[in-house]
Amino acid sequence: MEVTSVVHSVGFLHSPTHIQRLNGKPFFLSTRPRKVNLPLPCHQYPNYLSNAKSGCSDRTSVIFNSTSATSTATSAAEGSLSEAEKIKQRCLKWQWKGQYSINYFVSSDSPQKLLDNQPPLLLVHGFGASIPHWRRNIKTLAQNYTVYAIDLLGFGASDKPPGFQYTMETWAQLILDFLNEVIQKPTVLIGNSVGSLACLIAASGINFFFTLSLNYSLQPDSSQTLVRGIVLLNCAGGMNNKAIVDDWRIKLLLPLLWLIDFLLKQKGIASAIFERVKQRENLRDVLSSVYGNKESVDEELVEIIREPANSPGALDAFVSIVTGPPGPNPVLLMPKISMPVLLLWGDEDPFTPIDGPVGKYFSSLPSQQENVKLFLLEGVGHCPHDDRPDLVHEKLLPWLASLF
């Protein structure tokens, strides 16, 4: 089993051997939508986005396809696109706290009669990933649910503000604000890796104190009316490896981790490392090491990870996340959760292995908390939803149906 070192979470950029040889240019350039900033009042999106809700702000930004005026032409064009590109074409923008542009997706394919009777779903990606990482799930889930997906601040097509200090608590507050301002209904949170942990923090309702320009607190009961249930896909133990202090493998590497933290705080060294991290061939190798089903590691997946890494601010986000505080420990969070929880865990995950401290803790929960269900997914790695979506849907869909 390969021991993690630099980043703990989605697992794409972790091992020291890959950090030394992880560059490239964006692949999906010709199909990017055109961004138009419009002063829209609440709920005044175009008809084809009628299921979406805005953040009720006069600074709302919406992404329109350049062919959106002609629905027939748009449909024809979408027919030749991959699922990931279709998802990207239909993304919207929401202004968080009036200063950060957050990229999100909302489905509009489900029959309206089903949407009123089912809770909406919010998909939250892991480290290094973005909304298109749910390319193999959205279409299936949207048959019965309104599906939202979000790019966390610092990832995907969301803002990556220079010098921003990223924390797990910041992402948790982002999720809660999105639920409150955009979705406005009790929602099932579905997260992978650090996305899982962010969902767990949001649902736990603990108090947060934010520095920078975010000076407010999350009240203990504010999440109870916003979150209907949680699905954790190989939940991370923290924003980075410094959280896993009880794993002997991490203890052995701890001096190296602190050295890497020091090196990454040197701008020139950090830039050189990050350029290697983004190299296509080596990124494919890393992905193959964390996926059980190697056939799922295709060129599109590589570009889903690479493209946002080439945008301004990506390096700062990378350094801040790797060197920042690990955030709240899930062991302290889970006792606060009384809502239904589904744990789906790939048994071949090298980053949050089921025999590690985080995996052992979560695997013990079904016998301690009646609201928790766990399914081990055989032959699956760190990102079950993209690795083996069929196995995930097999367990996820019945569990969702059981909520009502």
Side-chain angles (χ1 to χ4, degrees), residues 208-252:
F208 299 136
F209 175 77
F210 289 84
T211 56
L212 302 173
S213 60
L214 306 176
N215 296 313
Y216 53 86
S217 294
L218 167 65
Q219 298 305 315
D221 296 329
S222 64
S223 65
Q224 300 305 308
T225 58
L226 296 175
V227 182
R228 179 66 182 83
I230 321 172
V231 181
L232 307 178
L233 302 167
N234 288 64
C235 185
M239 191 170 70
N240 47 53
N241 275 333
K242 291 189 288 292
I244 316 300
V245 295
D246 295 330
D247 193 329
W248 64 269
R249 292 162 287 198
I250 299 301
K251 287 181 178 179
L252 288 177

Side-chain angles (χ1 to χ4, degrees), residues 219-354:
Q219 298 305 315
D221 296 329
S222 64
S223 65
Q224 300 305 308
T225 58
L226 296 175
V227 182
R228 179 66 182 83
I230 321 172
V231 181
L232 307 178
L233 302 167
N234 288 64
C235 185
M239 191 170 70
N240 47 53
N241 275 333
K242 291 189 288 292
I244 316 300
V245 295
D246 295 330
D247 193 329
W248 64 269
R249 292 162 287 198
I250 299 301
K251 287 181 178 179
L252 288 177
L253 286 176
L254 201 55
L256 177 60
L257 296 180
W258 290 114
L259 174 61
I260 291 173
D261 276 10
F262 172 78
L263 294 175
L264 286 177
K265 290 177 181 178
Q266 318 306 311
K267 192 73 172 181
I269 296 176
S271 180
I273 291 175
F274 194 54
E275 287 303 311
R276 290 177 176 269
V277 165
K278 297 186 294 182
Q279 190 170 352
R280 178 181 283 107
E281 308 82 44
N282 296 318
L283 184 54
R284 176 182 285 274
D285 289 344
V286 175
L287 289 164
S288 295
S289 74
V290 301
Y291 271 58
N293 178 19
K294 310 308 178 185
E295 293 181 359
S296 293
V297 183
D298 54 15
E299 188 62 24
E300 182 175 66
L301 175 61
V302 174
E303 294 304 326
I304 286 172
I305 307 303
R306 284 187 64 253
E307 184 181 16
N310 286 303
S311 59
L315 172 60
D316 285 353
F318 173 77
V319 172
S320 176
I321 294 166
V322 174
T323 62
N329 191 317
V331 174
L332 302 178
L333 299 176
M334 280 303 300
K336 303 174 182 291
I337 302 296
S338 58
M339 63 196 66
V341 178
L342 175 64
L343 304 172
L344 298 177
W345 213 279
D347 69 347
E348 293 186 3
D349 182 357
F351 300 122
T352 49
I354 195 63

Side-chain angles (χ1 to χ4, degrees), residues 6-229:
V6 179
V7 186
H8 176 83
S9 47
V10 97
F12 299 141
L13 311 172
H14 296 243
S15 94
T17 55
H18 294 123
I19 284 298
Q20 294 175 3
R21 53 191 180 91
L22 275 179
N23 195 319
K25 300 178 180 178
F27 182 74
F28 300 116
L29 295 177
S30 62
T31 57
R32 292 293 289 175
R34 178 166 53 91
K35 180 179 178 181
V36 181
N37 294 318
L38 297 176
L40 298 178
C42 187
H43 310 314
Q44 295 297 312
Y45 286 115
N47 290 336
Y48 78 99
L49 294 173
S50 59
N51 287 331
K53 296 180 180 179
S54 77
C56 301
S57 168
D58 60 2
R59 300 183 62 183
T60 300
S61 299
V62 182
I63 288 188
F64 290 94
N65 192 335
S66 59
T67 61
S68 61
T70 307
S71 59
T72 302
T74 301
S75 298
E78 282 192 354
S80 62
L81 297 176
S82 68
E83 283 301 314
E85 278 298 296
K86 290 178 184 178
I87 291 167
K88 289 164 63 179
Q89 290 269 354
R90 294 175 56 185
C91 283
L92 307 173
K93 294 293 185 182
W94 166 61
Q95 290 296 120
W96 184 40
K97 298 303 173 185
Q99 57 183 323
Y100 302 118
S101 178
I102 302 299
N103 189 55
Y104 77 97
F105 168 91
V106 58
S107 66
S108 58
D109 297 328
S110 302
Q112 187 61 45
K113 63 180 181 180
L114 294 175
L115 304 184
D116 293 336
N117 299 323
Q118 305 289 357
L121 313 178
L122 176 60
L123 312 180
V124 185
H125 62 81
F127 179 86
S130 56
I131 293 171
H133 199 211
W134 302 99
R135 57 187 174 151
R136 295 183 169 127
N137 315 106
I138 288 176
K139 187 174 182 179
T140 296
L141 296 174
Q143 293 177 19
N144 296 291
Y145 303 91
T146 299
V147 180
Y148 292 82
I150 192 171
D151 280 342
L152 295 173
L153 189 72
F155 293 114
S158 288
D159 276 354
K160 303 169 184 65
F164 192 90
Q165 298 301 307
Y166 294 89
T167 66
M168 292 302 310
E169 295 90 339
T170 300
W171 290 329
Q173 187 66 55
L174 168 61
I175 291 170
L176 282 175
D177 287 345
F178 186 80
L179 295 178
N180 187 50
E181 297 180 21
V182 180
I183 301 182
Q184 299 182 346
K185 288 181 64 177
T187 302
V188 176
L189 303 180
I190 304 177
N192 174 226
S193 192
V194 290
S196 284
L197 182 56
C199 290
L200 183 57
I201 297 170
S204 68
I206 64 175
N207 289 315
F208 299 136
F209 175 77
F210 289 84
T211 56
L212 302 173
S213 60
L214 306 176
N215 296 313
Y216 53 86
S217 294
L218 167 65
Q219 298 305 315
D221 296 329
S222 64
S223 65
Q224 300 305 308
T225 58
L226 296 175
V227 182
R228 179 66 182 83

